[in-house]
Every structure is written in C-alpha cells, then in structure tokens.
Amino acid sequence: MRATLIYGAGDVRVETVPDPKLSEPTDALLRVVRSCICGSDLWPYGSMPARDRGVRIGHEFLGVVEAVGSDVTTLKPGDLAVAPFVYSDNTCQFCREGLHTSCLHGGNWGAKGVDAGQGEAVRVPQADGTLVKLPHTEDDDLLASFLTLSDVFATGHHAAVKAGVNERTTVTVIGDGAVGLSAVLAAKRLGAERIILMGRHRTRTDLGREFGATDVVAERGDEGIEKVRELTNGEGTHTVLECVGTKPAFEMGVGAVRPGGTVSRVGVPQYAEGPIGPSLFRRNITVTGGVAPARHYIPELLDDVVEGRYQPGKVFDRTIGLEEVPDGYRAMADREALKVLVKP
Amino acid sequence: MRATLIYGAGDVRVETVPDPKLSEPTDALLRVVRSCICGSDLWPYGSMPARDRGVRIGHEFLGVVEAVGSDVTTLKPGDLAVAPFVYSDNTCQFCREGLHTSCLHGGNWGAKGVDAGQGEAVRVPQADGTLVKLPHTEDDDLLASFLTLSDVFATGHHAAVKAGVNERTTVTVIGDGAVGLSAVLAAKRLGAERIILMGRHRTRTDLGREFGATDVVAERGDEGIEKVRELTNGEGTHTVLECVGTKPAFEMGVGAVRPGGTVSRVGVPQYAEGPIGPSLFRRNITVTGGVAPARHYIPELLDDVVEGRYQPGKVFDRTIGLEEVPDGYRAMADREALKVLVKP
C-alpha cells in the first residue's frame, strides 16, 4: 500500500510500504477513508534531523473496518470507525479515569511496528478500546467533522475542560490554528459567553468568530496582553487556552490570565522550562492541560456532531489525495492552508 | 514600642520604633499577644543584601484590639482577633471569590507605612476585612493553634484544597517544615487516607505521623521519587503538596505525581523558571497553588480548632520573648527549632 513517511525537516514522501495485516487477536484492519495533517506534524516537518530511513507519520484518521482479530467484539467488517490520536485499551485504570493518553497498553501511531494515519490502511492495535464506531456511511457529509474527533476538536475540548470553562468564565484562546479555533468552538459549547481569540490571520479569525469568539486580538506579546486586559476591566480572563506550544505563547497566556485563573495548554510545549516563578505563584495561577485523551471525549462530542449542533469540520480548508500529502505539509507550513484533509 | 527589623542576611534586630496609631477610619490598633517566625522569613534572613535602614518583618500575629477607627463595625476594644498574613477588605470581587491575596485594596505587612507582626503592636488597615474575632481570651491554651490560622495551617490547607485532596486521592507532601506538617494535617482533615511525607528530620516526621502521615520517605531527588513510586504501584500519587519552594523540591514533585495528577505549590518558588515542558505535558500534570488566601479559610478552620478536632499549634516547638527574636531566626535557620512562637 501507499503511505506517508517523513525523512527530516521539509522531507515528506509517499511511498509503497508493506500491506498491514492482523497480528494480534485484538487488532483490526482499517481502510483509511479520511486522514489529515496536524499542526503538531509541522514540528518535525520544521526541525527533524535528516535520516536515511523514513518514519511513518499521521495520527488522525477514520475508515472502514476490513478485518478484525478473534478477540474483537465491538466492530465488524464494513463498520465505519474513527481512531483517536493514540491507541488504548479503554479498560486499564487510566482509561477508566478518562486518561486514555496514559493507557498502560496504549501507544502512538507511527511508533515502531505500528502504522500511522497518513496512508491507505492501518493495523489498529487494541481495536475494541481504540476505535469508535460511527453511525454513518463513508459517503457522509459529516466525515470532516467526524475526523476532528480524532484529535483537533477533542484537543480544543480538552483545553476548555481542563481550564474549567463554563458559563461564568471568560476565556482567552491563544492561536488561530485549527486547534485554537476548535478551542473557541469547545468553549462556546461549554457555555462561555466571552471568548477572546488571539490571532492575526483574518480568514482564520473570521471562522473563530463564526465558532463563537466575541473579540479578536491581533497584537502579540505585551501588547496582546494589554489588549486582553483592556477588554476585561484590567484583570485578564479567568481561563486561557494556549493552543500554540511556543514559549512566547505560554508567556502571553500567563500575562493574560486573571488572578486565581488557569492557563490550559494543548499546544505541545516546544520548551523544557517555563516561567512558573513568584509572579505566577503570587497570583495563584494554575497551569494545566496536556495531550488530549480524545478517546474519552469522542462519545460525548460525537452526539453533537451527528445531530448537527456543531460543525468542527469547518477547520478543513483544503482536500487532497494521498500522493499530494507532501504539498499539503508545505501548504500548512506556509500558512496557505489552515488544515488539510486527505482522501487516500 | 519595640519591633523586629531585618537589615540583611543574618542581621535581625529588635529596636524601638514609633508607636502605631489609627490613621484611617478603617484601621484598628492591635496589641500583639502572639507572633511567630515563618519559614518564608528565612529567605531574606538567608540572602537579603545588607542595607542601612532595616525593614519591619513578621506577618503572623494575633492580639487584642486596643482601638478602632470610626468605620470599623465588627470589632471593639478588648476583642481577641487573628490577622491573616496579608490584609484585605473582604469585599472586593477577588475577596468575594475567596482570593484575598489578590484583594484590590489589600497589601503586605511590613510594606512601606504598614507595621509588621513581630512587634508589640500593629496598626491593621482594613480591620473589618482583615481581622477575624476569636472566641476566647488571651490566656487560652488554644492561642498557638489560633496563630497557625494566620498562615501556616491555612497555607497547608490551601495546598490540599488546590490539589483537590479528598478521600479518594493519594497524597505526597514534600517538606517536613511547619507548612509541610500543616499540609499533612490539612490533607488528613480533607479525608486523605494515604499520605506520604517526604522529610528527613525524625522529630518532625514523627509529628507528621501524628498529624496523619501514613508513610515517611527520607530519600530525596530521584531516589525519593523512586520510593514514592514503590509505595504506589509504580504510579506516583494523585496529588503532591510541595511545601518547600526550591527547584529540586518542585522537580521531585513532578517526578512523584501520577499521570493526570496535580502538583500544588505553597512554598514560595525560589526559581523563575521550572520544568513544565513535554514530559509534564505528556502526563497531563497540573501545576497549581500559590500564596494562601488565609482570610478566606479562617472561619472554616477556626471551628475545628475551637472544638479541638485539630491541633495545628503543635508545630511550635519553642517559645521566646520579643527581645529573643534574633536568636529565634538563628534557631530556625539552623534547624534547631521547627517553628518559633513569640510572646511580646
């Protein structure tokens, strides 16, 4: 089959790889119907040292079950199902607590011996625990929104949940990428009435307004902090959803949050140490967030998508075939595209 | 009157200073009956650059009201009252939310024009908002425990509250100082059944066991982390109450906490940046805590002290007069005394 591999910064290739097959009785084989490129894929695309052997990449996908191992009970061939961006057994103590990203028997797509999502097919370990059956067919208009449950909408939701967003909290969302916009939508869904979106790309912030942002702040750094404070009686917002992952973005979050408030991070931190010293401490700021346990959230979010209450799939603004994936990376890295959907 | 001033590292003096008098209609004058030395006073005692003019020090005290301004309605001369370690109006929006340390009209003891606690008397700004009337007399055996409401017990309680300690959470307390031991007591009070105390001073950890610690870990660093994991099925505890404030203590907290768990800091951080990068993020660790809004907690904790259910005053292991305060600092810095009570 064909699948995407990354060889280093700026070097993504689609190549022929061995066809996946069932190896454990808990496996399923999934023919990928939709995949996509994640903002976090752009980190290795921007900086990974070159290597002789490529590594498989892509962690967001949905598709049709082609075969299942003998222990799989919740899926059968022909089912349409979505995979969260890590696999998990859904039965260990961490999964039972809703932290599927710390599953004792889970792991990452593209890790040694595990397929990744930007390809024609995937062997899915722990299929019963990982895959969530979708109630529609593969021709459905809802496929793009279903695919966001795999990562981007679930991640925005995680940011909002960990921050404690509700109808009484003001919210700042840092970043107008697909995760930031998803966080706006998630905050709105959780009842937030005041959502300040920090971003400077007009087409993206326009979608942010459609998703529920009440204010847009284009300024960054100290100026951005000042603007958020101006909008909030000098205080900052109760919650900040940091959806970028750079240190300046986190610092902006710390500046924009209200005393007693929470900075919730879902952008993978590109820094080892951050400013959590006396100034944060004196104001009783909480820092939370992390990799989103998408699997935990999918059932809840799926209902809203199926019934058309939310359309997170609007974050996709380009659709390509599998062979065009390298250009999809380029387009996202150049900010020509917000988020690229792949139809293998 | 006589009061304590600090002139630099290792240089604490008791001197004659102007008698306080009412200056605002919201003031009260308090004759100090009990004060004490805080672990956080040891930071300037250890490192403050020498200066020509000393600064007043001490932020934990209780005493008898001697006079009140014309706007003060909740106190009258003769009342015994305790002061939290910052003053506050108890009416602004932050106070109403329970975050008195961010009071819009509050401030620190010993700041310019404001008395500090290690002296014979204090002008108390915002007296109605700051002071809490105590139901007993100044001869009471409970005075030591009442004094802990000013800071140390309230601070241990804050660590536990922010961490979300309850009967289902395992707890690690880092630090066997007075705050750490208070955190043990607070965690026990909130229902925790498994409390691991990290400390290496036997007399202190013995008091920790009396307060509710179920295990004591004397090791530090990676060895300490390993011990906590051994005690918790390899996982770490749901919550870590970091009661020291050094970077190694925080790093130990990050290592000892369970995935999805919380490190709650109440030791004033002696570092500007800390390790909050990918390893924290991947495990969904929350970092919370800060300066404790003692005023918010006093009414709730006071009931338990009055009724004898908890005796946080046991953290005091030495009582001195005001003129002996410099030696009290030395004794605490040398770890000869755990916490020093001052009877002016």
Side-chain angles (χ1 to χ4, degrees):
Chain A
M1 69 160 182
R2 303 285 284 172
T4 307
L5 297 95
I6 183 164
Y7 282 80
D11 188 2
V12 169
R13 308 179 200 173
V14 178
E15 298 182 343
T16 298
V17 301
D19 287 340
K21 50 189 178 188
L22 299 174
S23 72
E24 300 290 330
T26 48
D27 287 348
L29 282 190
L30 200 78
R31 174 172 56 84
V32 175
V33 172
R34 292 289 185 282
S35 178
C36 59
I37 302 171
C38 183
S40 70
D41 293 333
L42 297 182
W43 295 121
Y45 185 73
S47 65
M48 187 174 126
R51 44 191 297 166
D52 291 337
R53 291 187 60 171
V55 286
R56 300 277 287 278
I57 191 165
H59 53 262
E60 301 159 279
F61 57 97
L62 57 76
V64 173
V65 175
E66 304 248 291
V68 296
S70 56
D71 287 355
V72 175
T73 61
T74 63
L75 298 154
K76 61 180 190 310
D79 284 345
L80 186 72
V82 62
F85 72 90
V86 295
Y87 63 86
S88 57
D89 65 12
N90 200 33
T91 57
C92 79
Q93 56 191 316
F94 290 104
C95 287
R96 289 198 306 271
E97 294 170 16
L99 196 66
H100 294 68
T101 44
S102 292
C103 174
L104 297 175
H105 306 105
N108 293 315
W109 304 114
K112 193 170 171 58
V114 181
D115 295 312
Q118 292 162 10
E120 290 182 297
V122 171
R123 178 182 70 86
V124 177
Q126 305 287 349
D128 275 335
T130 302
L131 295 171
V132 178
K133 188 177 166 181
L134 295 169
H136 287 238
T137 74
E138 65 179 288
D139 299 322
D140 202 298
D141 287 345
L142 294 175
L143 287 184
S145 285
F146 286 154
L147 183 59
T148 66
L149 303 178
S150 183
D151 181 345
V152 67
F153 187 38
T155 293
H157 178 66
H158 186 56
V161 167
K162 294 291 283 187
V165 169
N166 60 38
E167 58 283 1
R168 295 180 305 282
T169 50
T170 50
V171 181
T172 297
V173 174
I174 297 180
D176 59 7
V179 172
L181 300 178
S182 299
V184 169
L185 188 64
K188 178 74 178 174
R189 180 178 170 278
L190 291 171
E193 292 176 0
R194 186 78 185 275
I195 303 171
I196 301 170
L197 173 60
M198 303 191 80
R200 47 172 60 195
H201 302 89
R202 182 60 187 270
T203 55
R204 299 177 180 198
T205 56
D206 282 352
L207 180 55
R209 286 188 191 274
E210 186 183 334
F211 276 176
T214 52
D215 305 86
V216 170
V217 169
E219 289 82 355
R220 293 181 183 180
D222 288 345
E223 279 177 64
I225 293 168
E226 195 48 48
K227 279 281 175 183
V228 172
R229 291 195 178 163
E230 275 171 26
L231 291 168
T232 53
N233 198 27
E235 294 175 3
T237 52
H238 298 91
T239 64
V240 172
L241 315 185
E242 197 284 274
C243 303
V244 177
T246 61
K247 195 164 176 178
F250 179 68
E251 289 167 342
M252 202 156 67
V254 169
V257 71
R258 188 173 180 274
T262 300
V263 179
S264 183
R265 303 181 299 169
V266 289
V268 185
Q270 304 299 303
Y271 48 92
E273 299 221 323
I276 54 165
S279 72
L280 193 100
F281 182 86
R282 269 195 297 271
R283 295 188 296 140
N284 270 281
I285 306 303
T286 295
V287 177
T288 189
V291 288
R295 179 63 183 80
H296 174 61
Y297 298 127
I298 291 176
E300 171 189 358
L301 298 176
L302 179 59
D303 284 349
D304 277 349
V305 171
V306 168
E307 293 171 23
R309 285 190 289 271
Y310 297 92
Q311 300 175 317
K314 288 186 176 180
V315 295
F316 293 108
D317 60 350
R318 182 172 296 192
T319 302
I320 62 175
L322 184 58
E323 300 300 327
E324 300 164 275
V325 163
D327 191 62
Y329 274 78
R330 183 205 55 73
M332 279 180 63
D334 291 348
R335 293 184 186 274
E336 205 179 278
L338 171 56
K339 191 167 175 75
V340 171
L341 188 69
V342 180
K343 289 173 72 169
Chain B
M1 69 161 180
R2 302 285 285 171
T4 307
L5 297 94
I6 183 165
Y7 282 78
D11 187 2
V12 168
R13 309 178 200 173
V14 177
E15 297 182 343
T16 297
V17 301
D19 287 339
K21 51 189 177 188
L22 299 176
S23 72
E24 300 290 331
T26 47
D27 285 349
L29 282 188
L30 201 78
R31 173 171 58 80
V32 175
V33 173
R34 293 288 186 283
S35 179
C36 58
I37 303 171
C38 183
S40 70
D41 294 333
L42 298 183
W43 295 119
Y45 185 73
S47 65
M48 188 174 125
R51 43 190 297 162
D52 291 337
R53 292 188 60 173
V55 287
R56 301 277 287 279
I57 190 164
H59 53 262
E60 300 159 281
F61 57 98
L62 57 77
V64 173
V65 175
E66 303 248 291
V68 295
S70 56
D71 287 354
V72 175
T73 61
T74 63
L75 298 152
K76 60 181 191 306
D79 285 345
L80 186 71
V82 63
F85 71 92
V86 297
Y87 63 87
S88 56
D89 65 13
N90 201 31
T91 57
C92 80
Q93 56 190 316
F94 289 105
C95 287
R96 289 198 306 273
E97 295 171 15
L99 196 65
H100 294 69
T101 44
S102 291
C103 175
L104 297 175
H105 307 105
N108 293 316
W109 305 112
K112 192 170 171 59
V114 181
D115 296 312
Q118 292 161 10
E120 289 182 300
V122 171
R123 175 183 72 84
V124 177
Q126 306 286 352
D128 274 336
T130 302
L131 295 171
V132 178
K133 188 176 166 181
L134 296 169
H136 289 238
T137 74
E138 63 180 289
D139 301 320
D140 201 297
D141 287 344
L142 294 175
L143 287 184
S145 284
F146 286 154
L147 183 59
T148 66
L149 304 178
S150 186
D151 182 343
V152 66
F153 188 38
T155 293
H157 178 66
H158 186 55
V161 168
K162 293 290 281 186
V165 169
N166 61 39
E167 58 283 1
R168 293 179 307 281
T169 50
T170 50
V171 181
T172 296
V173 174
I174 297 180
D176 59 8
V179 173
L181 299 179
S182 298
V184 169
L185 189 62
K188 177 76 178 174
R189 180 178 171 276
L190 290 172
E193 293 176 1
R194 185 77 186 274
I195 303 171
I196 301 169
L197 172 60
M198 301 190 80
R200 48 171 62 196
H201 303 90
R202 181 61 186 269
T203 55
R204 299 178 180 197
T205 56
D206 282 351
L207 180 55
R209 287 186 189 274
E210 186 181 335
F211 276 176
T214 50
D215 304 86
V216 170
V217 169
E219 290 81 354
R220 292 183 184 177
D222 289 344
E223 278 177 66
I225 292 168
E226 194 48 46
K227 280 281 177 187
V228 172
R229 291 194 180 166
E230 275 171 26
L231 291 168
T232 53
N233 197 26
E235 294 174 5
T237 52
H238 297 91
T239 64
V240 172
L241 315 184
E242 196 284 275
C243 302
V244 178
T246 61
K247 195 164 175 178
F250 178 69
E251 289 166 340
M252 202 156 66
V254 169
V257 72
R258 188 172 180 274
T262 299
V263 180
S264 182
R265 303 181 299 168
V266 291
V268 184
Q270 303 301 304
Y271 49 92
E273 300 221 322
I276 54 165
S279 72
L280 193 99
F281 182 87
R282 267 196 297 270
R283 294 189 298 139
N284 270 280
I285 306 304
T286 295
V287 178
T288 190
V291 287
R295 177 65 182 81
H296 174 61
Y297 298 126
I298 291 176
E300 171 190 357
L301 298 176
L302 179 58
D303 284 349
D304 277 349
V305 171
V306 168
E307 293 170 26
R309 285 189 289 269
Y310 297 93
Q311 300 175 322
K314 289 187 175 179
V315 294
F316 293 108
D317 59 350
R318 181 173 298 192
T319 301
I320 61 176
L322 185 58
E323 300 299 328
E324 300 163 273
V325 163
D327 190 62
Y329 274 77
R330 183 205 55 73
M332 277 179 64
D334 291 348
R335 294 185 183 271
E336 202 179 281
L338 171 57
K339 192 168 174 74
V340 171
L341 188 70
V342 181
K343 289 173 73 169

